[in-house]
């Protein structure tokens, strides 16, 4: 199955993805596609993008796409299976404008965080290799949060939260209620021996109050102030609504 692409991040001219003067959300996606020893490819889990993207667009927010290195973003092959796709995601796959934009994302180094009210980290196993340790993603998210904005993630996108620090140099997620793909789900997905670390364990090491749903792969979302996180791909619709609520609640009175 060919690798697929990812959306464009533009911080300057208006694009088909947004209009001028809109409040904007920065959506972060992975550039990484390779497992150590599997023949299939990882990358972005498609509906973790489309469910949130569609909800933000419908609510009138501009959406820009960024990746650690810029350029094309691969799609996780398993995310394109019939079990995980819905009609809206299939329509995006058939949309040449949307799909072309997925090949030309901006690099994190080129992003001005002052332009955004929130940052949202999408998932897919690829994020475990290139979200953690990326200094520009860290710079962007910390600046958005310190400017009063929202930091959000779904599933393995929580890898983008691991490096974040508050203004005292402490982990941003320390003492905060946070979720993300669980160790049990990693085992059930059959990928535990492929990933460079276990996401739940890394979140817990940073002092977060990790929580998960009772049923693996069921929707589970946590909101702790201006941190909004979803556990797994099944949480993407609910995390989209939680992010929208956080954005509404965060507007100046």
């Amino acid at each position: 199955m060919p690798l697929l692409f990812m959306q464009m991040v533009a911080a300057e001219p208006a694009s088909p993805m947004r209009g001028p003067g809109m409040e904007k959300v920065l959506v972060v996606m992975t550039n990484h596609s390779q497992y150590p020893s599997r023949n299939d490819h990882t990358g972005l889990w498609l509906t973790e993008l489309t469910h949130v993207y569609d909800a933000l667009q419908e609510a009138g927010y501009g959406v820009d796409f960024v990746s650690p290195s810029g350029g094309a973003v691969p799609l996780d092959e398993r995310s394109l299976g019939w079990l995980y796709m819905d009609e809206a995601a299939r329509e995006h796959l058939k949309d040449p404008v949307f799909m072309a934009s997925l090949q030309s994302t901006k690099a994190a180094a080129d992003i001005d965080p002052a332009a955004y009210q929130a940052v949202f980290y999408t998932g897919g196993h690829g994020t475990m290799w290139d979200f953690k340790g990326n200094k520009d993603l860290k710079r962007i998210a910390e600046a958005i949060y310190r400017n009063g904005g929202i930091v959000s993630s779904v599933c393995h996108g929580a890898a983008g939260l691991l490096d974040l620090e508050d203004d005292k140099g402490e982990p941003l997620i320390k003492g905060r209620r946070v979720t993300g793909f669980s160790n049990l789900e990693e085992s059930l997905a059959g990928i535990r021996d492929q990933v460079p670390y276990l996401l739940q364990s890394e979140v817990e090491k940073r002092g977060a109050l990790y929580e998960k749903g009772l049923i693996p792969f069921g929707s589970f979302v946590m909101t702790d102030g201006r941190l909004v996180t979803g556990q797994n791909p099944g949480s993407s619709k609910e995390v989209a609504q939680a992010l929208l609520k956080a954005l509404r609640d965060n507007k100046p009175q």
Side-chain angles (χ1 to χ4, degrees):
M1 183 177 297
L3 295 183
L4 292 166
F5 346 100
M6 163 157 185
Q7 174 184 351
M8 66 189 293
V9 164
E12 299 81 20
S15 76
M17 300 299 170
R18 73 166 200 276
M22 285 182 174
E23 291 186 312
K24 293 192 293 182
V25 175
L26 186 66
V27 174
V28 186
M29 293 172 257
T30 183
N31 297 119
H32 187 91
S33 66
Q34 299 295 322
Y35 287 114
S37 60
R38 289 175 63 98
N39 292 325
D40 61 329
H41 292 90
T42 184
L44 165 71
W45 195 274
L46 182 60
T47 55
E48 292 178 9
L49 165 64
T50 58
H51 288 160
V52 176
Y53 172 79
D54 289 345
L56 289 169
Q57 290 271 288
E58 184 176 348
Y61 287 91
V63 180
D64 288 342
F65 290 178
V66 67
S67 58
S69 301
V73 169
L75 297 186
D76 187 291
E77 293 179 13
R78 294 204 297 179
S79 80
L80 306 180
W82 67 269
L83 183 63
Y84 306 111
M85 292 283 285
D86 58 14
E87 187 58 34
R90 293 187 189 95
E91 288 300 314
H92 281 302
L93 283 177
K94 293 187 291 186
D95 180 351
V97 175
F98 184 84
M99 295 308 294
S101 71
L102 296 184
Q103 299 187 72
S104 55
T105 65
K106 286 285 185 78
D110 298 330
I111 295 299
D112 176 7
Y116 301 96
Q117 283 67 51
V119 59
F120 176 72
Y121 289 95
T122 60
H125 279 94
T127 65
M128 300 187 76
W129 280 270
D130 63 359
F131 280 12
K132 183 174 177 283
N134 186 284
K135 293 180 180 178
D136 285 301
L137 291 181
K138 172 179 165 69
R139 169 185 62 85
I140 292 165
E142 287 179 349
I144 288 172
Y145 195 81
R146 289 171 187 171
N147 288 339
I150 294 159
V151 171
S152 183
S153 67
V154 69
C155 200
H156 291 93
L161 310 182
L162 297 176
D163 294 334
L164 303 185
E165 296 176 332
D166 63 19
D167 54 10
K168 297 179 181 177
E170 294 287 333
L172 184 65
I173 59 175
K174 183 178 180 180
R176 310 292 294 276
R177 300 172 70 201
V178 174
T179 192
F181 208 63
S182 70
N183 292 352
L184 174 58
E185 287 170 324
E186 206 70 84
S187 296
L188 293 174
I191 310 292
R192 189 175 179 126
D193 65 341
Q194 297 288 306
V195 293
Y197 52 88
L198 292 174
L199 183 60
Q200 175 185 337
S201 296
E202 291 299 309
V203 167
E204 291 172 336
K205 284 179 184 177
R206 284 153 181 80
L209 307 177
Y210 177 85
E211 298 188 31
K212 62 181 180 180
L214 292 175
I215 302 174
F217 305 110
S219 181
F220 185 79
V221 171
M222 296 298 308
T223 297
D224 188 329
R226 290 183 287 115
L227 280 175
V228 180
T229 52
Q231 183 177 332
N232 49 40
S235 309
S236 55
K237 287 185 176 180
E238 187 179 349
V239 83
Q241 295 307 310
L243 175 56
L244 285 174
K245 183 178 187 304
L247 283 163
R248 290 192 297 267
D249 291 347
N250 201 43
K251 286 185 177 181
Q253 301 300 314

